[in-house]
Amino acid sequence: MNPNDKKFFGTNFRLTQVQLIFLVAAFLVIFDNFTYFGKLLATYPPEGKNLFYLATAPVLMWVVYSAAMLLVSSRWTTKPFAIVLLIVSSLVAYFTDTYQVVVSRGMIQNVLETNIAEASGLLSPKLLAYLFFLGILPSLFVWKVPIRYRSFWGELRSKLLAFLGLLLLTAALAWSAGGFYASLFREHRPLRNYTNPYYWMRNTIGYVKRAVRRNAEHIERQPIGIGTRAHRAPGEKPRLVILVVGEATRADHFGLNGYRRQTTPLLAKEPGVIDLPHLSSCATYTAKSVPCMFSRYGRSEFSRRKELGTENLMDLLHHTGDIDLLWRENNSDPKGVMDRLGYQNFMSPENNPDCEGGECRDMGMLAGLERFVDANTSRDKLIVLHMMGNHGPEYYKRYPKSFEKYTPVCRSNLLEQCSREEIVNAYDNVTRYGDFFLAHVIDFLKKQENRYQVALIYMADHGESLGENGLYLHGIPYSLAPEAQTHPAAFLWLGKNFEDLNVSRLRALADRDYSHDNLFSTILGIYDVNSTLYDPTLDILAPARPKSPKKP
Ligand SMILES: [Zn+2]
């Protein structure tokens, strides 16, 4: 039988490929994005001009999805691809609408590497309803509906025409609502995490690319720390350390280091603070510095290949089984460090109560932190807080208005359009807000001193250029980078329970040239982990420990 004679429930109804793609794209936009459009309405209240802009948002999404499906369409791919999109997106829509989760790369990894038995605990009638009505039913339609295929040139012509139409529509949207989309994409970037299926597809592709690269390079991840334990003398309180990973905070603009402005007034009043003024970073950009800080390898040895091929400090601490770990993220993501352990996202209002206008403050990362500390109070704990910190170029957005002490400030994301003074003012205001946050971290730790030995380690991931020699931001190759980019701010703060440490000796040594290389062994030293990777010469606290065994 000629496929063109197939009946659709006894009728002669049939579609062209382009029509089918347009239909599926429209279905995905309308039924799988309730959460996204809800958040869009919450961000841009539906009044005045917003009414028009909001109305264009589903149109733009439809244009993008249609174009993407057209690109990979053919007699053999259009239907299978549409069915996969419909089924997976129906499940994603359920989890997003029900739990406000976004399908991050870590979650994809969890799904792919977790066995199905664990996943069956998530089954619910609502899930099955989503799967049936938004996934299976439309998929049946796609599968069954006869397609009127034309000759190769006929199909090509109709697809090119479809593209042209979508392009014209895009131009019309850019012309009529360009400013709205510029604001949406730049200032409310986290919202795109709720777009379905864009976000899960993007992260799935990212995950596959990583896995392929790992395979291509024959990299298997070597575990580290299997069989190690964290040791604690009898009667000693468990340890609670907060490691704050800062962002782009340069040492020479940090008030503690004698900068002409007191940008750290609260830390300056804390007697327990031990400043580390000469710390050098592992790299000049986040994606390398952060994994390097947690790597067993120092800067001279660290490489992308080693990063992928070896577990990191957090994995090692996890393997001891003695330390509860928590990573709270307000920067971007943990840059692969928590791929195996997971983290809490504080970049949107679901977790972070301190968000305004799309900007979530670092202070919000302290919300509900007591719950983690109150559980299992007999166990050691490590909390990592990854700050938004001095993330540029829009420094003026990184602090609440009340922290705008130095004025005028640069209010453009095109730094070269601002004067040096305006840029530095905005940047220094952010550092003062960071001081406020770090002082609150210390206050939080002080409240735990009756139950824990508490300490704070603060290290920014790299520095920042503020227009010196025409350089802005960071990321210059290390060998060429100015000190402004390679010398981030850093300090320690020790609670009074670390009493067997010789703090005056520590202060005397604080002037040394430390680097991110010191972090790994310093943390292992604090928890007294019996790892062969522990190097006492890199442990910042080692010279301050008593030579004799710890007192009982
Ligand atoms: Zn960074």
Side-chain angles (χ1 to χ4, degrees):
M1 190 171 75
N2 184 334
N4 278 341
D5 296 336
K6 264 206 296 196
K7 293 275 182 195
F8 185 66
F9 296 105
T11 72
N12 282 324
F13 179 79
R14 45 185 86 294
L15 294 170
T16 66
Q17 250 194 105
V18 171
Q19 286 170 335
L20 178 69
I21 285 170
F22 283 174
L23 266 182
V24 172
F27 186 91
L28 292 169
V29 170
I30 295 168
F31 292 105
D32 290 349
N33 285 281
F34 295 151
T35 303
Y36 173 70
F37 289 119
K39 288 189 183 292
L40 204 58
L41 286 171
T43 312
Y44 298 93
E47 57 200 19
K49 273 198 163 168
N50 279 356
L51 281 172
F52 169 72
Y53 295 146
L54 289 166
T56 67
V59 180
L60 180 66
M61 193 187 255
W62 175 80
V63 167
V64 172
Y65 291 170
S66 297
M69 289 167 72
L70 276 172
L71 273 179
V72 295
S73 64
S74 74
R75 187 182 287 252
W76 302 278
T77 53
T78 302
K79 282 191 169 189
F81 185 53
I83 289 173
V84 170
L85 276 182
L86 287 163
I87 299 278
V88 179
S89 299
S90 72
L91 296 171
V92 170
Y94 165 76
F95 284 106
T96 306
D97 294 348
T98 310
Y99 302 111
Q100 305 279 311
V101 297
V102 299
V103 184
S104 63
R105 200 180 294 171
M107 183 171 296
I108 288 164
Q109 181 159 21
N110 279 338
V111 170
L112 295 180
E113 295 174 10
T114 308
N115 63 45
I116 301 298
E118 280 180 53
S120 64
L122 296 167
L123 280 181
S124 74
K126 188 177 167 193
L127 170 67
L128 295 176
Y130 265 76
L131 180 62
F132 182 75
F133 289 108
L134 304 187
I136 293 173
L137 217 50
S139 292
L140 277 175
F141 172 81
V142 169
W143 183 35
K144 287 285 181 194
V145 70
I147 299 292
R148 180 159 22 96
Y149 288 105
R150 283 168 282 210
S151 66
F152 174 79
W153 294 111
E155 285 294 327
L156 190 67
R157 204 180 69 110
S158 77
K159 281 181 201 172
L160 284 176
L161 276 176
F163 263 118
L164 189 67
L166 295 174
L167 209 63
L168 287 174
L169 201 49
T170 311
L173 290 175
W175 175 76
S176 60
F180 166 72
Y181 286 109
S183 150
L184 175 63
F185 297 150
R186 238 185 280 137
E187 291 154 34
H188 301 288
R189 247 161 64 102
L191 279 179
R192 76 184 172 156
N193 300 1
Y194 297 96
T195 53
N196 188 11
Y198 164 75
Y199 196 65
W200 72 259
M201 291 223 45
R202 167 185 177 273
N203 284 330
T204 306
I205 292 168
Y207 174 81
V208 170
K209 266 169 47 188
R210 259 175 105 104
V212 166
R213 190 170 51 202
R214 200 172 291 158
N215 270 340
E217 297 176 15
H218 301 291
I219 295 177
E220 262 182 59
R221 199 183 296 275
Q222 293 297 321
I224 58 174
I226 303 289
T228 57
R229 296 298 302 268
H231 294 279
R232 202 176 346 135
E236 214 179 350
K237 289 191 166 91
R239 292 151 289 209
L240 168 64
V241 178
I242 297 186
L243 169 61
V244 177
V245 178
E247 171 62 46
T249 306
R250 55 192 270 183
D252 64 347
H253 279 238
F254 211 53
L256 288 180
N257 295 332
Y259 179 46
R260 66 184 165 91
R261 286 171 167 169
Q262 181 45 286
T263 51
T264 55
L266 299 172
L267 292 175
K269 280 185 231 149
E270 276 301 335
V273 167
I274 301 164
D275 185 28
L276 304 174
H278 304 299
L279 182 104
S280 59
S281 67
C282 181
T284 59
Y285 56 97
T286 315
K288 185 170 177 188
S289 256
V290 172
C292 183
M293 289 168 80
F294 289 85
S295 167
R296 58 171 285 196
Y297 298 105
R299 190 175 80 78
S300 58
E301 290 178 287
F302 181 79
S303 68
R304 182 80 186 140
R305 197 188 163 85
K306 285 192 168 124
E307 179 201 336
L308 294 174
T310 327
E311 289 188 345
N312 59 51
L313 176 64
M314 300 300 279
D315 297 308
L316 189 162
L317 298 176
H318 173 70
H319 290 317
T320 66
D322 296 319
I323 306 165
D324 294 333
L325 304 171
L326 176 68
W327 182 299
R328 287 189 161 183
E329 178 65 45
N330 194 36
N331 182 289
S332 46
D333 63 75
K335 305 300 167 200
V337 175
M338 297 303 278
D339 274 3
R340 289 158 296 288
L341 300 172
Y343 64 94
Q344 293 181 350
N345 183 347
F346 277 73
M347 294 176 294
S348 59
E350 283 76 58
N351 287 334
N352 191 325
D354 200 354
C355 299
E356 48 168 343
E359 179 82 15
C360 290
R361 305 274 174 230
D362 288 326
M363 275 299 287
M365 284 195 285
L366 300 181
L369 203 52
E370 298 82 8
R371 277 202 298 280
F372 177 73
V373 174
D374 291 344
N376 302 318
T377 50
S378 62
R379 283 169 59 81
D380 287 331
K381 293 183 170 47
L382 173 68
I383 299 169
V384 181
L385 304 175
H386 192 192
M387 291 175 71
M388 179 54 107
N390 293 63
H391 194 286
E394 290 163 308
Y395 306 119
Y396 71 100
K397 288 187 177 168
R398 300 285 108 83
Y399 54 82
K401 193 78 190 157
S402 56
F403 282 81
E404 198 156 282
K405 180 179 164 78
Y406 311 114
T407 54
V409 300
C410 174
R411 289 191 188 280
S412 167
N413 55 10
L414 298 169
L415 291 174
E416 49 282 18
Q417 292 180 351
C418 292
S419 69
R420 284 259 353 245
E421 188 202 358
E422 288 170 325
I423 296 169
V424 169
N425 284 344
Y427 183 87
D428 289 345
N429 288 331
V430 190
T431 308
R432 279 188 77 250
Y433 176 66
D435 168 71
F436 176 75
F437 167 66
L438 290 163
H440 275 80
V441 176
I442 292 175
D443 284 343
F444 174 83
L445 285 171
K446 282 180 183 167
K447 287 190 202 126
Q448 314 304 330
E449 274 190 310
N450 53 343
R451 299 184 293 183
Y452 293 97
Q453 308 180 64
V454 296
L456 166 66
I457 299 177
Y458 168 79
M459 284 185 187
D461 60 346
H462 49 75
E464 184 91 327
S465 283
L466 296 171
E468 301 93 343
N469 301 316
L471 289 178
Y472 296 95
L473 305 170
H474 55 265
I476 296 278
Y478 205 88
S479 52
L480 306 173
E483 276 220 353
Q485 294 193 24
T486 58
H487 280 70
F491 68 87
L492 311 171
W493 175 86
L494 297 171
K496 57 180 188 285
N497 288 327
F498 276 102
E499 55 202 4
D500 55 351
L501 281 176
N502 185 339
V503 174
S504 53
R505 173 132 177 83
L506 214 50
R507 281 184 199 286
L509 296 173
D511 245 5
R512 284 187 174 180
D513 287 329
Y514 291 116
S515 76
H516 280 156
D517 295 3
N518 292 100
L519 183 64
F520 190 88
S521 283
T522 301
I523 297 271
L524 290 187
I526 287 178
Y527 294 102
D528 201 2
V529 176
N530 62 334
S531 168
T532 51
L533 300 176
Y534 171 73
D535 180 349
T537 64
L538 289 176
D539 180 351
I540 297 175
L541 300 180
R545 288 211 177 84
K547 293 280 180 284
S548 56
K550 286 185 180 180
K551 62 190 172 203

